[in-house]
Amino acid sequence: MVPLSPLVPLLGSHGGFGLNFNPFETNIINLAIVIAGLVWFLRGFLGGILERRRAAILADLKDAEDRLAAAAAALAEVQNGLADSQARAERIRADGQARAQAIRLESEKRTVEEMARIKQASASDLDSEAARVTAQLRREAARLAIEKALATLPGRLNDEAQTRLIDQSIQSLGNA
């Protein structure tokens, strides 16, 4: 901040502060003539430039509004398309889940049926194998019994027992 003490002598030496209303000393008349001439002669030139600039700005604004309206319409159309696509994607996803669930249930059903068939086949195979083994054991037991009987028979059969066995066999054949 400048101290006021050096300014006070400067202002006092010039006689103070005041306004000069003399039109010839202040060149107000010359300035008025120059400004009026500029306004008169440049009005058409500057007015034309300003009018062309105003028209260009209005055309740019109109073009921008048209592009904004077109962009808004395109955005609305794209948003509708997006909503349709999302709905279609949701339907496809739901259909896919339903189809996957149906396939899973069908697969489980086939697996259970296949397991039941395999269990039944194995039980059948087990029964047939048991029957085969039982028949083989019977044949083997019969063969062993016959061999044992044939081995012990000559020592047990004397002439009298042999005659009795032949007579019984003939009688059983005659009764049949």
Side-chain angles (χ1 to χ4, degrees):
M1 184 157 202
V2 177
L4 289 178
S5 59
L7 287 177
V8 173
L10 182 63
L11 289 176
S13 66
H14 289 288
F17 180 75
L19 294 175
N20 186 1
F21 290 109
N22 187 355
F24 295 111
E25 284 183 10
T26 57
N27 280 330
I28 288 182
I29 295 173
N30 290 337
L31 286 174
I33 292 171
V34 169
I35 289 174
L38 285 174
V39 169
W40 177 261
F41 292 114
L42 294 178
R43 184 181 337 162
F45 176 71
L46 289 178
I49 291 174
L50 290 175
E51 186 60 34
R52 284 191 302 273
R53 180 69 184 142
R54 182 177 164 274
I57 289 172
L58 288 176
D60 288 345
L61 285 174
K62 176 70 173 143
D63 183 47
E65 287 174 352
D66 292 344
R67 285 185 288 153
L68 176 63
L75 176 64
E77 184 178 330
V78 168
Q79 285 176 338
N80 287 338
L82 176 64
D84 291 343
S85 296
Q86 286 174 337
R88 200 170 332 137
E90 184 61 30
R91 282 193 308 269
I92 290 170
R93 187 184 64 76
D95 289 347
Q97 286 178 343
R99 194 173 306 132
Q101 180 71 12
I103 289 171
R104 185 180 60 80
L105 291 175
E106 180 65 27
S107 176
E108 288 175 358
K109 180 181 173 187
R110 279 189 305 205
T111 301
V112 167
E113 289 173 354
E114 185 65 21
M115 289 172 62
R117 187 188 64 75
I118 289 172
K119 185 176 179 182
Q120 185 179 13
S122 66
S124 175
D125 288 347
L126 183 65
D127 290 344
S128 66
E129 186 65 21
R132 186 187 67 77
V133 167
T134 302
Q136 185 178 0
L137 286 175
R138 282 183 188 155
R139 282 192 304 267
E140 187 66 24
R143 186 184 62 77
L144 288 175
I146 290 173
E147 284 179 2
K148 185 176 180 183
L150 287 177
T152 59
L153 191 60
R156 285 186 169 181
L157 280 179
N158 53 20
D159 288 338
E160 184 181 318
Q162 201 173 22
T163 307
R164 237 183 319 145
L165 181 62
I166 291 174
D167 288 340
Q168 283 177 353
S169 295
I170 291 174
Q171 278 182 352
S172 68
L173 286 175
N175 290 339

